[in-house]
Amino acid sequence: MINHANAQNIKNWLEAINQFNSTLEFGTTRVLFTPSEIAAREYVKNEMLKLGMNVREDAIGNIFATYEGQDTSLPAVWTGSHIDTVLNAGMFDGMAGVVGGMEAVRLIKESGQRPKRSIEVIVYTSEEPTRFGLSCLGSRAMAGKLSLEDAKNLKDNDGNTFAEVLKSLEYNPVEFKNIPISKGSVFGAVELHIEQNGLLEENGLPVGIVKAICAPTNYSVEVYGCQSHAGGTSMDARRDAFTASCEVSLSLERLAKESESEYTTATIGRVEVVPNAVNVIPGTVKFSIDIRDIDFESKNILLNKLLKEISEIEQKRGVNITLIPENHDRPIRCDEKIVEVIRQSCENQGIAYQVMISGAYHDSLFVGEFAPVAMIFVPSKNGISHSPEEWTDYEDIAVGVDALAETLLTLANTTDE
Ligand code: HGY
Ligand code: MN
Ligand code: MN
């Protein structure tokens, strides 16, 4: 019998991690391998050691904390998430899954049960694209989709490459080739995460069971027109890079709304206008495109329509529009057997739930390339995330951990497959 998760424990861990923050005055910012994130890593590793877990890191900084099972030769069961954040974020995105995994292991240990398989709590390196512009660096490398060469080509705003930063922190580049995880070496992975949408709250449910995870496609777009005088240049003589960018933005929004897929989103979140002056027609505009879809084919259809409309805008407005692809990732369906185990865990404990998709991507998207995965969602207040307003009640996280703990134990005691 496993006890109910301790909401106070969860609160203490989350508040302690939240102290490691470079924007205390405005939300939570913990960017990969900055002092606040490194300090948070040390804190979490220390708490994992206090739980009696073995703790190690790989050559990209993924943290593996192991609660050893009876037979350590069996593929382990994974849980965990990330502790890095977007700028001025909340204190739950990612951290709820790391702390939730730690609390689940604590509960299993406290029950005196030693499962057949080891259970590992993973802290994935850099789930957010905040520093190097690419998401899920740690889990992408585990899936064999990020090489040392790639790491040498990823640069932060100060011109540091990811490979240089890793080396400066004494991660051994020679070991980079040993990061990929082979298929079959992980029995299953269950990530607890905040929902980052408002469905669970709307439906008054404490738990969501994720059946599929959207994947991102990201571009940097550069629009070149003609910088000129805001008064002297008549309206029909302009090649305005900003109004052209706005037309692209409205095309993207319409195409996402018209998508036939179950779930499609498109966002332009970062915009740079040059020279960004009141009385100058912008000559250059650079912006990001982030498209999510639960269906890969539908995302490709949207992209083809967008490229066609962009070339029409170029002609009509006499501007040049360049799209620089960053990543074009595949959505995944979660493992039905693990979804069933989570469902059973909820039913056994009388936890109400709904099965749903994830509009946000997660490390589970890449872990799903080499292991069966599923996710457990807990409610986001007002559906808000990636904001200082992000909030999930600690007791809601505790209920999600109850479902997680029983799921992990069931999977870790499954050996007849
Ligand atoms: O953007 C995402 O979906 C994730 O929260 N990084
Ligand atoms: Mn996030
Ligand atoms: Mn996240």
Side-chain angles (χ1 to χ4, degrees):
M1 178 57 191
I2 303 177
N3 291 331
H4 177 47
N6 183 313
Q8 187 60 46
N9 251 10
I10 291 167
K11 178 174 186 287
N12 295 343
W13 270 327
L14 285 171
E15 288 181 345
I17 294 170
N18 203 39
Q19 296 312 307
F20 305 109
N21 170 8
S22 59
T23 57
L24 285 162
E25 72 291 347
F26 177 29
T28 299
T29 301
R30 202 165 32 253
V31 177
L32 175 70
F33 293 148
T34 57
S36 60
E37 201 251 0
I38 292 169
R41 285 170 160 266
E42 291 312 309
Y43 169 79
V44 167
K45 285 191 284 186
N46 200 30
E47 290 301 303
M48 290 167 153
L49 288 168
K50 282 190 210 165
L51 284 176
M53 301 176 88
N54 307 326
V55 179
R56 67 181 177 84
E57 287 185 66
D58 66 11
I60 200 170
N62 290 310
I63 298 168
F64 301 77
T66 308
Y67 174 51
E68 278 195 356
Q70 295 170 36
D71 181 352
T72 53
S73 68
L74 290 171
V77 172
W78 278 14
T79 186
S81 192
H82 60 98
I83 60 170
D84 66 303
T85 72
V86 296
L87 302 177
N88 308 113
M91 62 180 280
F92 298 93
D93 171 5
M95 287 63 80
V98 171
V99 164
M102 290 159 66
E103 177 63 3
V105 166
R106 190 191 67 78
L107 290 169
I108 293 168
K109 281 195 73 180
E110 186 187 66
S111 74
Q113 303 184 62
R114 174 74 62 173
K116 294 193 178 77
R117 300 174 183 275
S118 298
I119 296 174
E120 297 202 302
V121 182
I122 317 289
V123 180
Y124 298 99
T125 289
S126 194
E127 190 270 354
E128 301 292 1
T130 314
R131 182 165 181 181
F132 290 103
L134 182 64
S135 57
C136 300
L137 298 181
S139 50
R140 210 180 276 265
M142 284 176 167
K145 293 181 173 240
L146 187 91
S147 66
L148 184 57
E149 273 323 295
D150 297 328
K152 288 175 182 166
N153 295 324
L154 288 173
K155 278 199 176 143
D156 65 14
N157 292 338
D158 301 325
N160 307 299
T161 71
F162 182 35
E164 286 160 350
V165 170
L166 282 168
K167 202 161 179 197
S168 72
L169 295 168
E170 293 173 19
Y171 292 105
N172 182 352
V174 174
E175 291 296 314
F176 208 94
K177 63 181 180 311
N178 300 328
I179 297 170
I181 306 284
S182 52
K183 273 187 192 280
S185 59
V186 175
F187 184 65
V190 185
E191 178 177 5
L192 183 143
H193 203 284
I194 56 172
E195 180 200 348
Q196 300 178 303
N197 198 344
L199 286 183
L200 290 177
E201 184 180 56
E202 223 170 280
N203 300 333
L205 295 169
V207 160
I209 304 177
V210 177
K211 65 176 180 180
I213 306 171
C214 282
T217 291
N218 295 87
Y219 285 92
S220 284
V221 183
E222 297 180 357
V223 181
Y224 296 99
C226 175
Q227 179 173 325
S228 185
H229 194 290
T233 315
S234 61
M235 290 312 286
D236 55 10
R238 296 174 176 220
R239 290 191 293 118
D240 183 334
F242 180 72
T243 47
S245 304
C246 293
E247 198 164 344
V248 171
S249 165
L250 292 176
S251 287
L252 178 64
E253 181 188 49
R254 175 176 34 79
L255 290 170
K257 286 183 173 178
E258 288 169 355
S259 165
E260 317 247 305
S261 158
E262 182 187 352
Y263 195 85
T264 306
T265 65
T267 311
I268 293 180
R270 188 191 63 227
V271 181
E272 185 197 337
V273 178
V274 178
N276 206 25
V278 169
N279 58 351
V280 179
I281 301 168
T284 302
V285 172
K286 295 182 181 177
F287 59 85
S288 60
I289 284 185
D290 177 300
I291 300 169
R292 312 287 174 92
D293 208 311
I294 204 68
D295 177 88
F296 198 51
E297 210 22 62
S298 142
K299 191 158 64 164
N300 289 326
I301 292 168
L302 187 156
L303 282 171
N304 290 332
K305 288 180 181 172
L306 179 67
L307 294 177
K308 187 167 165 299
E309 294 196 17
I310 284 177
S311 64
E312 287 160 6
I313 294 166
E314 274 187 306
Q315 301 303 324
K316 186 172 69 173
R317 292 178 169 275
V319 296
N320 176 283
I321 303 177
T322 308
L323 278 85
I324 303 152
E326 285 168 354
N327 52 287
H328 183 42
D329 298 321
R330 274 181 182 278
I332 62 157
R333 310 304 285 175
C334 293
D335 181 82
E336 285 177 8
K337 279 188 246 160
I338 299 183
V339 167
E340 195 42 43
V341 171
I342 301 171
R343 191 200 294 268
Q344 203 47 61
S345 302
C346 290
E347 308 269 355
N348 295 345
Q349 300 182 55
I351 297 172
Y353 63 88
Q354 73 175 73
V355 177
M356 58 203 296
I357 61 138
S358 174
Y361 59 74
H362 302 283
D363 289 302
S364 295
L365 187 66
F366 291 95
V367 176
E369 300 273 336
F370 56 83
V373 297
M375 294 184 71
I376 292 172
F377 273 175
V378 289
S380 289
K381 193 168 168 42
N382 304 321
I384 290 176
S385 179
H386 282 188
S387 154
E389 305 307 310
E390 181 182 277
W391 181 264
T392 297
D393 289 346
Y394 296 112
E395 183 48 42
D396 278 345
I397 299 174
V399 172
V401 171
D402 289 342
L404 177 68
E406 182 171 331
T407 300
L408 295 176
L409 194 56
T410 304
L411 292 172
N413 282 324
T414 305
T415 53
D416 52 359
E417 299 211 344

